[in-house]
Amino acid sequence: KYPEREIITKVLRSLTSKWLSKTNAIVEGVHYQSGTLTFDQLRGNFITYEMTILDQNGENKKKSLALKASSQEEESDENDDGEEDKDFALLMK
């Protein structure tokens, strides 16, 4: 079984470049240097970083639903009787 320090080092080395600044901060930190950094602390650091920094940079934006707009004109005036207004009111509800 690997000591926790070796596991943490392997995890830090396997991260992609978007984690580089956080990885550098951890490696230069007091807990890592003294060997007191636990895996749970490392995980907490990464979760916090992901929720704050990466979300602000748009790395983890959720997909949103957007409706397409149409610029085509009606070929006929079938909706002159107010049906379009009823449809719009129904949509707004």
Side-chain angles (χ1 to χ4, degrees):
K1 183 178 178 182
Y2 292 108
E4 193 166 24
R5 171 76 180 220
E6 287 184 34
I7 294 172
I8 290 172
T9 302
K10 288 182 180 184
V11 168
L12 292 173
R13 287 182 183 166
S14 68
L15 295 170
T16 61
S17 61
K18 73 178 181 180
W19 297 92
L20 184 61
S21 62
K22 185 59 179 175
T23 301
N24 289 339
I26 290 170
V27 170
E28 294 171 2
V30 174
H31 293 294
Y32 183 82
Q33 294 292 327
S34 67
T36 60
L37 180 67
T38 66
F39 189 76
D40 287 337
Q41 289 172 327
L42 178 69
R43 184 176 173 269
N45 275 327
F46 285 137
I47 289 171
T48 302
Y49 180 75
E50 183 178 38
M51 291 172 61
T52 56
I53 304 302
L54 293 183
D55 282 347
Q56 288 177 1
N57 292 336
E59 293 285 336
N60 292 324
K61 287 195 174 190
K62 294 181 180 178
K63 293 182 180 178
S64 62
L65 177 65
L67 301 175
K68 290 185 178 181
S70 175
S71 62
Q72 295 176 345
E73 294 182 18
E74 294 281 333
E75 291 184 14
S76 64
D77 294 328
E78 295 175 344
N79 292 331
D80 284 346
D81 59 358
E83 186 176 326
E84 184 174 74
D85 291 336
K86 291 177 187 176
D87 290 342
F88 182 75
L90 182 61
L91 176 66
M92 295 308 293
K93 285 184 183 181

